[in-house]
Amino acid sequence: MKKQQSFKQRENMTMYMFTIPAIILFSMFVIVPFVRGIFLSATNWNGYSQHYKIVGLKNYGRLFTDQNVWRALINTLIYGCGSTLLQNVFGLLFALYLNKKFAGRTFGRTVIYLPVMIAPLIMGYVMYFFFTLGGAMNDIRSLFNQAPLDWLADGKRGVIIMTLINSWQFVGISMVIYLAGLQSIPDMYYEAAEIDGFSGWRLFTNITFPLLSPALTSSIVINLIGGLKLFDVIMALTKGGPGYDSHSLSTLINRTYFGSENGGYAAAIGLFAFLLIGLISYFATDKLTKYQEAQS
């Protein structure tokens, strides 16, 4: 008996030993930089110099009066919530359609998922040639005798365009998640519901949607986090312009650090963005988990 316990203890110790490299790497590339960032957010570091002063909470106080931060915060919420809404609505619609048995459904799934495989920065540069003054969108306008339009010259229009681009590129992720959820629903539920006279919309609201709650939770949280930290497409299309009108918090950090050479303030914005995304993701996960438990 003691030999068995000793062997089990050695086996457990061996398993713990395998986690040490992962813990070291995680500490080196996540924990240490994060703690360092918290420290730098309390300084006036310019991002390059070896000399800086401790300024306490001055950078955080500046956050609440900086109109550029507030504008970027609103844009970030639009990017995150807008993309999440569109990706989940259209992802679910695509999944419902492509879950049916018909010729070409595999091709349809491939076409919808294909943009996910393109790097977001490359996608942004591709889309730039659609919305620039000499781009495809103005070629379409010229067919209707409309004057060329500088689509990205207006910040509000740019935010909407980039939300749509991000939604279109990653709608395939939601589609795949919902397809997996649909295929895990036993046919016997539908057969029993049809015997009771359910069909069409009633089948969806009473059987399909409640049983898709685990997929719904996963899809919303993944898309929400991705949208709230949107960076690549913005940098490719507008770089946050005109002015600061289309910045997200992620691109504003880049602009503050490299453009304004204010590393301490950039670190404060970064920590603020981290807390914002963490809190929104936590509350979204909590509400969705409670909904999922209510449906089970």
Side-chain angles (χ1 to χ4, degrees):
M1 186 69 177
K2 291 182 178 180
K3 289 183 178 181
Q4 289 180 348
Q5 290 179 346
S6 178
F7 175 76
K8 193 169 184 179
Q9 288 175 351
R10 288 199 302 270
E11 188 179 43
N12 290 338
M13 183 60 68
T14 303
M15 295 301 295
Y16 290 137
M17 293 291 289
F18 280 113
T19 66
I20 292 176
I23 292 172
I24 293 173
L25 290 172
F26 184 79
S27 300
M28 288 174 57
F29 294 104
V30 178
I31 296 178
V32 173
F34 181 73
V35 173
R36 179 68 174 170
I38 295 175
F39 169 74
L40 290 174
S41 69
T43 70
N44 65 348
W45 186 48
N46 64 6
Y48 303 97
S49 174
Q50 297 296 318
H51 306 284
Y52 49 80
K53 295 180 181 179
I54 304 294
V55 296
L57 299 177
K58 183 178 178 180
N59 288 327
Y60 293 99
R62 181 179 170 186
L63 286 173
F64 296 99
T65 58
D66 191 339
Q67 293 301 313
N68 294 328
V69 171
W70 284 104
R71 187 180 296 111
L73 172 60
I74 293 171
N75 291 342
T76 298
L77 294 174
I78 293 173
Y79 292 136
C81 298
S83 296
T84 300
L85 176 63
L86 293 173
Q87 286 166 0
N88 281 276
V89 169
F90 286 96
L92 179 56
L93 291 174
F94 287 137
L96 289 169
Y97 178 70
L98 294 171
N99 192 47
K100 300 176 181 178
K101 294 181 179 179
F102 62 92
R105 67 173 181 169
T106 302
F107 176 75
R109 294 174 183 176
T110 303
V111 169
I112 294 171
Y113 189 80
L114 195 61
V116 178
M117 302 172 67
I118 302 173
L121 188 65
I122 302 302
M123 178 63 74
Y125 286 128
V126 171
M127 289 295 105
Y128 177 80
F129 291 104
F130 276 78
F131 293 101
T132 190
L133 275 172
M137 295 301 295
N138 281 326
D139 289 341
I140 295 173
R141 286 176 61 86
S142 67
L143 296 176
F144 298 93
N145 296 320
Q146 298 291 318
L149 179 65
D150 192 350
W151 294 88
L152 301 173
D154 180 79
K156 293 180 180 179
R157 186 167 56 228
V159 169
I160 294 172
I161 289 172
M162 287 182 286
T163 301
L164 293 174
I165 292 172
N166 184 61
S167 302
W168 168 67
Q169 182 175 10
F170 293 106
V171 71
I173 293 177
S174 293
M175 179 197 69
V176 169
I177 293 173
Y178 285 124
L179 273 173
L182 287 169
Q183 292 172 8
S184 68
I185 300 175
D187 291 336
M188 62 181 181
Y189 291 148
Y190 292 107
E191 293 169 358
E194 288 172 356
I195 291 173
D196 291 335
F198 283 49
S199 62
W201 180 248
R202 293 184 67 192
L203 275 177
F204 175 77
T205 55
N206 290 277
I207 304 294
T208 305
F209 193 75
L211 293 177
L212 278 179
S213 56
L216 181 71
T217 301
S218 300
S219 181
I220 287 179
V221 172
I222 290 172
N223 292 328
L224 188 60
I225 293 173
L228 288 172
K229 62 185 184 67
L230 189 64
F231 177 85
D232 311 72
V233 171
I234 302 172
M235 293 302 295
L237 286 171
T238 66
K239 292 182 173 61
Y244 286 81
D245 287 349
S246 63
H247 270 298
S248 68
L249 287 173
S250 297
T251 58
L252 183 61
I253 295 169
N254 180 78
R255 173 71 175 268
T256 304
Y257 188 105
F258 294 103
S260 302
E261 296 188 1
N262 196 338
Y265 189 44
I269 298 173
L271 186 59
F272 172 68
F274 170 79
L275 293 174
L276 174 73
I277 296 172
L279 286 172
I280 292 177
S281 301
Y282 171 78
F283 285 114
T285 304
D286 182 61
K287 294 295 183 183
L288 290 166
T289 301
K290 289 179 179 178
Y291 171 77
Q292 180 179 336
E293 291 172 352
Q295 299 302 317
S296 59

